[in-house]
Amino acid sequence: MGLAREQALLARLFVDGSYRDRFFADPATVGQEANLPAARIAAIGRCEVEIRAFAHSLIHKRLVEIRGLLPATERALGDRFGPLARTYLEQHPPGGLDKPAEDARGLSRALAALPDGEVPPWISELARYEGSRLIEAAGGLGVLPRLVVYRFPVVNLQRSLLRGDPLGTPRPRLTLVLEPAHRRRA
Amino acid sequence: MGKAERGALGQSTELPALGSGLGYRRVHRGELFLDRRGIDFLEIVADHFMSADPAVQSELALLQAHFPLIPHGLDLSLGSAEGLDPAYLDRLARVVEAIDPPWWSEHIAYTRADGVAIGHLAALPLTREALDFLCANIHAAQRRIPAPLILENITTPFRLPGDELTEPQFLTELTERTGCGLLLDVTNLLVNAANLSFDPSEYLDQLPLERVVQTHYVGWARRGDTWVDDHGSETPEPVWELLAEVAARCPLRGMVLERDRNIPALAELRPELERAREIGRKAGRWD
Ligand SMILES: [Fe+2]
């Protein structure tokens, strides 16, 4: 009858990076809360290499999928996209019906919320804009579109990045974008 | 298990022979409707059509008007010891009902536990306990969805110790107890054989071959010393060879090319679809 508890422990080890580190540092102690026989915890503890590899492959798969959904943000961030996205994904288990879109929206919100200086403000704004264009999989469009203000010309920036145009240093310019209102998921 | 049983298979030869099919990906939509030749049916990811969004529903209706459709679920988590998510099962059932297919498919896996979504298919231990939970969940799904269910083998890069059965033994008992058919992913079989060091022909010898209704096939990748079913490249020769063996030995009703990464233009996939159709035709599975 331990399968439900074992699946709960494994699922957490697969998706939660900080729990994974704590568990493998001391499986016997940290694994106690999983309420499984000590021998089973020890057996899982001995599979550290395999479980870590599986967890990394899940992150890799999610990363590949969000790259395709936030292409302009990825180009704007260049080499920094991978590490930032990885850090975000490690801390946020997948969710929702359309998991790649959910990941991409979450990452774009997280990038937009980074304090100024972490990433250039125009990239924060671009990430917020690009993420907002991904429509809720299970929601559908709401009735009323809404007007959203950006501090940079995000529409042009996205277009230029996707075409591969040289950007220079983008200057702030208040930009209004009409966005479809996303209905909350049922 | 009789044919009248809900969700059970009956004799797989009573199912229509659909032929050579393609896993539907939205990027191919335009090309698909410009030239439908050579695509006998489409396998659609059921999860992508659960939205009530009118655009999504009209896409489904359009596909249905032009192709036989087979729904393929990703996230029912049939192997979850905590049971099925009734809301998800309901959404899935609505998609399957709308399509009214000859069969539908899901994986032998769990994708969530204790409120955590893994976002991927995780392997079950090959134990009696896991088999009992899996069968109970499948019976619950069959009560809700009357169309025959076929179950797919997944890849796993490792197995925890403690297995009581081999995978073919597990699948034999599973199909006997549930009446389900099998969706044999030949790429997954070869990837597991390489990673877990077993002989794919021996595996096949022990499988209930009369239960295999459909196959998946596609290319693979190698990352470090692990083979991965990344669905990102052309189908390699060993997969074609195994597909031919499976077609010769199993009462196949369909084969599906399951390309998800580095998706090329449809024109580039057509030769693979044609080759699969020819394999099935030579084996006498369809005309
Ligand atoms: Fe597959």
Side-chain angles (χ1 to χ4, degrees), chain A residues 1-4 6-8 10-11 14-15 40 43-44 47 50-51 54 58 60-61 64-65 93-94 97 99 137-138 140, chain B residues 50-51 53 75 79-81 88 91 110 113-114 116-122 124-125 129-130 133 157-158 160-161 223 261:
Chain A
M1 292 307 292
L3 186 61
E6 178 168 313
Q7 288 181 339
L10 288 171
F14 293 153
V15 303
R40 195 61 184 157
I44 293 171
C47 291
E50 292 85 352
I51 289 173
F54 187 66
L58 298 186
H60 178 83
K61 175 181 167 251
V64 168
E65 282 167 332
L97 269 185
K99 294 183 173 57
Chain B
M50 288 177 180
S51 164
D53 186 330
D75 212 7
S80 275
Y88 180 91
R91 284 197 290 264
Y110 68 104
D114 198 22
V116 175
I118 301 169
H120 194 68
L121 307 159
L124 293 174
E129 185 193 19
F133 281 118
F158 71 103
L160 288 168
R223 267 185 224 128
R261 310 248 178 286

Side-chain angles (χ1 to χ4, degrees), chain B residues 72 107 152 185 188 216 231 258:
Chain B
H72 183 52
H107 302 84
E152 177 174 1
D185 188 313
N188 287 355
H216 275 164
H231 298 196
E258 201 182 27

Side-chain angles (χ1 to χ4, degrees), chain B residues 250-280:
Chain B
C250 307
L252 284 187
R253 317 313 282 158
M255 301 179 180
V256 167
L257 174 59
E258 201 182 27
R259 186 74 178 258
D260 288 299
R261 310 248 178 286
N262 310 318
I263 301 179
L266 190 53
E268 276 184 51
L269 298 179
R270 288 185 194 275
E272 294 190 55
L273 297 173
E274 188 47 49
R275 187 167 174 183
R277 178 181 308 96
E278 191 53 23
I279 287 173

Side-chain angles (χ1 to χ4, degrees), chain A residues 91-160:
Chain A
Q91 289 161 8
H92 298 83
L97 269 185
D98 187 342
K99 294 183 173 57
E102 196 80 19
D103 276 343
R105 267 191 300 273
L107 173 63
S108 76
R109 279 193 296 265
L111 290 172
L114 284 174
D116 277 1
E118 281 297 315
V119 298
W122 70 271
I123 300 184
S124 299
E125 289 288 88
L126 175 69
R128 180 159 74 94
Y129 169 69
E130 208 170 29
S132 75
R133 311 308 286 179
L134 300 164
I135 294 166
E136 295 272 353
L141 299 182
V143 184
L144 293 174
R146 60 198 184 116
L147 216 46
V148 181
V149 185
Y150 291 90
R151 289 177 289 149
F152 285 84
V154 286
V155 182
N156 293 341
L157 285 170
Q158 185 193 42
R159 199 175 302 140
S160 303

Side-chain angles (χ1 to χ4, degrees), chain A residues 2-16 19-20 22-24 26-46 51, chain B residues 82 110 112-116 118 160:
Chain A
L3 186 61
R5 291 191 291 273
E6 178 168 313
Q7 288 181 339
L9 172 62
L10 288 171
R12 204 165 165 201
L13 289 173
F14 293 153
V15 303
D16 183 341
Y19 181 74
R20 189 160 57 239
R22 274 191 290 129
F23 176 85
F24 285 117
D26 185 1
T29 310
V30 179
Q32 261 171 11
E33 66 190 54
N35 204 7
L36 284 166
R40 195 61 184 157
I41 295 287
I44 293 171
R46 282 192 294 277
I51 289 173
Chain B
E82 65 194 16
Y110 68 104
R112 65 176 90 91
D114 198 22
V116 175
I118 301 169
L160 288 168

